[in-house]
Amino acid sequence: MAAQRKYSRNAFLLKAAALAAVAALVQGCAQTPAGTTTALAATPSEASVAAHVATATRAAGTDLKALLTLCQPAPAARPPQDALDKSLAGFINRPAPPPGQAFDNLYFVGADWVSAWAIKTSQGIILIDALNTQAEAASLIEGGMRKLGLDPAQIKYVIVTHGHGDHYGGAGYLAQKYRARVVMSEADWTMTETRLEFATPIWGAPPRRDISAKDGDRITLGDTSVTLYLTPGHTMGTLSPVFDVSAGGRKHRAMLWGGTGFNFGKDVPRLDAYIGATQRMGAIAQSQRIDVLLSNHSNIDGSQAKLAALRQQPAPAANPFVLGTPAVERALAVMGGCAQAQRDRFLL
Ligand SMILES: [Zn+2]
């Protein structure tokens, strides 16, 4: 769930209160070439929070500001059921954007606030995420694929990035209809089978346990391999897929960050895991020259605006989804810096 935007009201108050301390503390953070920070201050304080926010803000530059919603204070508790149902209904009722093609082999078939991505391979389709409900899977995934000239019967795998219903809600339906294999991490299979972190009748039921992915596992279909990295934090079993895409015959490498928001309440070990995951994936982005960063929520990666740009004639010379490796590393530094700020807020 992208819960961050709901909790934005206090952000500026907090920033203002801490502003005076920023200048001193910013100097106390060691900055790596990739822009990640290591807190030198042992004791969390208003000043250390502000320093992490300042570092994340610097890493965001002018192009990655959307990610800074993550630096706004997160709630100490998960939303109550009625608040969750109400906000979800609002999200789901928004008109869906048109489906679109981001790369030669990558298609967007999502809703307004949550995305699903279809990777076309030589032997069928790998779908990443399955939206909120069976109805959305039918209208937006199946319907969207048909509009784009793709056959939903070719869906062989559904990778569910994490065990929240906005990503798995339509998975059971697609699995049953097309005999698609459903992939999720062991931790999130267990979570969906035992105690859902977020439960609402609005979402489709969790899919039946199928393939349990471990860190580094590959899903290979025809000419395409998707490597699944365990990036715990948003859930403890969040998977971030990494795969090749091409634009106009040029190859690029994409990472889809599998879970972004801090909507789990006051849970410092989770934030520690999140910080570690962003640092590790920053190193992987550098070593694998990952130059495309995608999300399963379009407010994070700006996918709707980018798809709209690609629909224009003539098409833009440069594919707007290609950020370049330094920007992907900065994005991970922003997310990690915001996680460090939130960790310190919880420890104050
Ligand atoms: Zn989620």
Side-chain angles (χ1 to χ4, degrees):
M1 286 189 59
Q4 292 303 316
R5 66 176 85 172
K6 284 181 288 180
Y7 305 103
S8 62
R9 293 188 192 98
N10 294 325
F12 292 106
L13 290 177
L14 185 124
K15 276 185 192 168
L19 202 58
V22 172
L25 249 291
V26 153
Q27 307 303 325
C29 279
Q31 189 168 16
T32 69
T36 53
T37 55
T38 308
L40 298 181
T43 310
S45 63
E46 293 279 337
S48 72
V49 171
H52 290 308
V53 171
T55 306
T57 304
R58 217 168 39 238
T62 54
D63 52 334
L64 299 173
K65 282 186 173 164
L67 287 173
L68 288 172
T69 54
L70 207 54
C71 268
Q72 294 164 1
R78 289 185 195 145
Q81 179 78 43
D82 57 342
L84 174 66
D85 289 355
K86 200 175 164 194
S87 63
L88 264 179
F91 285 140
I92 291 173
N93 286 334
R94 290 184 194 164
Q101 185 169 7
F103 287 94
D104 297 343
N105 59 332
L106 184 69
Y107 300 80
F108 172 91
V109 284
D112 177 74
W113 76 288
V114 63
S115 306
W117 294 96
I119 305 170
K120 186 181 177 184
T121 82
S122 60
Q123 297 286 323
I125 286 163
I126 300 172
L127 185 72
I128 302 177
D129 284 349
L131 308 182
N132 294 280
T133 61
Q134 173 175 330
E136 282 192 344
S139 64
L140 301 178
I141 295 176
E142 293 181 296
M145 285 175 64
R146 288 194 192 100
K147 280 183 197 162
L148 294 165
L150 301 170
D151 178 6
Q154 292 301 308
I155 300 173
K156 307 294 185 193
Y157 290 98
V158 180
I159 296 169
V160 177
T161 52
H162 66 270
H164 291 161
D166 46 335
H167 308 285
Y168 68 62
Y173 163 75
L174 296 170
Q176 193 176 32
K177 186 164 180 181
Y178 300 119
R179 295 173 186 256
R181 305 293 307 270
V182 181
V183 184
M184 197 152 57
S185 70
E186 181 62 29
D188 280 21
W189 279 123
T190 302
M191 186 261 281
T192 58
E193 286 172 337
T194 54
R195 187 182 172 85
L196 287 170
E197 289 184 351
F198 293 100
T200 168
I202 293 173
W203 282 331
R208 260 192 223 150
R209 176 183 276 267
D210 191 0
I211 296 172
S212 177
K214 296 188 301 296
D215 182 59
D217 277 357
R218 285 181 181 197
I219 299 295
T220 299
L221 187 61
D223 57 0
T224 303
S225 271
V226 176
T227 305
L228 300 172
Y229 291 97
L230 200 55
T231 53
H234 179 73
T235 66
M236 287 316 282
T238 295
L239 293 172
S240 292
V242 172
F243 50 96
D244 286 343
V245 290
S246 63
R250 287 188 65 176
K251 206 172 93 170
H252 299 278
R253 193 142 175 87
M255 176 195 305
L256 192 152
W257 187 247
T260 307
F262 309 146
N263 54 5
F264 38 77
K266 186 173 178 176
D267 188 337
V268 170
R270 268 213 204 194
L271 286 163
D272 285 336
Y274 197 112
I275 293 161
T278 58
Q279 290 172 344
R280 177 184 176 226
M281 294 312 285
I284 288 172
Q286 190 177 42
S287 65
Q288 298 189 18
R289 296 174 192 269
I290 292 170
D291 55 356
V292 175
L293 184 67
L294 302 164
S295 172
N296 43 20
H297 288 284
S298 59
N299 63 317
I300 299 294
D301 63 3
S303 52
Q304 288 192 39
K306 290 171 184 172
L307 289 165
L310 285 171
R311 266 193 288 274
Q312 294 192 339
Q313 293 295 337
N319 185 311
F321 283 95
V322 179
L323 307 181
T325 299
V328 173
E329 290 178 70
R330 280 193 294 113
L332 290 159
V334 174
M335 294 190 284
C338 292
Q340 288 187 319
Q342 189 54 47
R343 176 187 186 279
D344 283 9
R345 281 190 197 111
F346 281 148
L347 288 171
L348 279 176

